[in-house]
């Protein structure tokens, strides 16, 4: 093939440029985007599976406590939670249910401390998008308990236990507002 004039030479250079550009696009950007999409889909799938497994675990172990709580047998529900804490030590849901029951019993100090401990272990409890979210319960504990604890601490400023409970309440308030650890 003979290049007759400058127009033919310019067309050949433009054709080579388009081929190089197409090769770069095919080699670089295309497969990486597909790979990133697949990885993101896998992470969402794994997260969903973990949430479903967690919900099934909670239902299997804590349904007797929830039944007792819902029937109004609050002391019996606390006893059952204490029994479960021996077989499932350190389980965050135990602290969450304890906080819920203590709040229903009007024991705000202990309820706020238990709820703060649960949220420190499992941040899903304040995440409104999580299937494990207990945000309304925690908001209720903060809105009802925090003013009472503050008032009592004004009367007893040297009470270190009450100061720690207030600190737990502020922690919950911060987490509800979107704060991090």
């Amino acid at each position: 093939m003979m290049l007759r004039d400058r127009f033919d030479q310019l067309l050949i250079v433009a054709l080579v440029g388009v081929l190089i550009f197409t090769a770069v696009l095919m080699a670089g950007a295309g497969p990486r985007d597909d790979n990133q999409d697949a990885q993101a889909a896998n992470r969402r799938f794994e997260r969903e599976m973990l949430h479903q497994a967690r919900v099934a675990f909670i239902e299997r172990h804590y349904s007797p406590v929830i039944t007792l709580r819902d029937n109004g047998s609050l002391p019996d529900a606390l006893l059952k939670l204490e029994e479960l804490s021996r077989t499932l030590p350190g389980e965050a849901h135990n602290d969450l249910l304890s906080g819920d029951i203590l709040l229903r019993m009007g024991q705000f100090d202990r309820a706020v401390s238990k709820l703060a401990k649960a949220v420190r272990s499992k941040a899903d409890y304040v995440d409104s998008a999580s299937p494990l979210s207990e945000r309304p319960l925690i908001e209720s504990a903060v809105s009802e308990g925090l003013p009472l604890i503050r008032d009592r601490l004004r009367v007893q400023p040297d009470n270190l236990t009450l100061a720690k409970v207030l600190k737990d309440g502020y922690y919950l308030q911060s987490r509800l507002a979107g704060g991090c650890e």
Side-chain angles (χ1 to χ4, degrees):
M1 180 171 132
M2 299 231 358
L3 301 176
R4 292 182 222 164
D5 58 12
R6 288 187 156 230
F7 183 73
D8 289 342
Q9 292 172 348
L10 188 62
L11 283 178
I12 294 296
V13 169
L15 182 64
V16 169
V18 168
L19 288 175
I20 290 172
F21 181 73
T22 304
V24 167
L25 281 179
M26 291 177 67
R32 194 172 350 145
D33 286 343
D34 290 342
N35 194 19
Q36 288 175 348
D37 290 344
Q39 287 177 349
N42 283 341
R43 282 193 295 268
R44 280 193 304 270
F45 179 73
E46 287 173 5
R47 204 172 325 142
E48 180 64 29
M49 292 295 292
L50 285 173
H51 283 299
Q52 287 179 4
R54 177 94 177 128
V55 168
F57 173 83
I58 288 169
E59 286 176 3
R60 190 176 73 213
H61 290 286
Y62 290 99
S63 62
V65 175
I66 293 169
T67 301
L68 288 168
R69 179 198 65 190
D70 293 345
N71 290 337
S73 303
L74 301 179
D76 293 335
L78 282 177
L79 286 174
K80 185 69 179 168
L81 277 175
E82 203 172 300
E83 186 181 309
L84 280 171
S85 72
R86 287 186 216 115
T87 56
L88 303 169
E91 173 53 47
H93 205 70
N94 198 330
D95 293 321
L96 181 88
L97 284 174
S98 292
D100 179 14
I101 293 166
L102 290 168
L103 188 65
R104 291 170 189 245
M105 295 172 82
Q107 297 183 14
F108 295 107
D109 300 1
R110 292 178 59 204
V112 166
S113 292
K114 286 288 188 179
L115 291 172
K117 186 176 177 186
V119 171
R120 282 187 179 105
S121 296
K122 204 77 169 151
D124 287 347
Y125 293 131
V126 290
D127 182 6
S128 55
S130 170
L132 300 172
S133 177
E134 292 291 340
R135 195 174 178 89
L137 167 70
I138 296 166
E139 287 172 339
S140 171
V142 168
S143 67
E144 291 177 36
L146 217 47
L148 296 173
I149 296 166
R150 263 190 239 127
D151 290 344
R152 287 180 39 219
L153 194 57
R154 280 188 202 119
V155 175
Q156 308 168 350
D158 296 333
N159 189 334
L160 297 178
T161 304
L162 208 50
K164 184 185 177 321
V165 172
L166 185 63
K167 188 176 175 183
D168 287 340
Y170 286 143
Y171 168 76
L172 288 175
Q173 197 174 38
S174 165
R175 294 303 304 257
L176 288 170
C180 297
E181 289 286 323

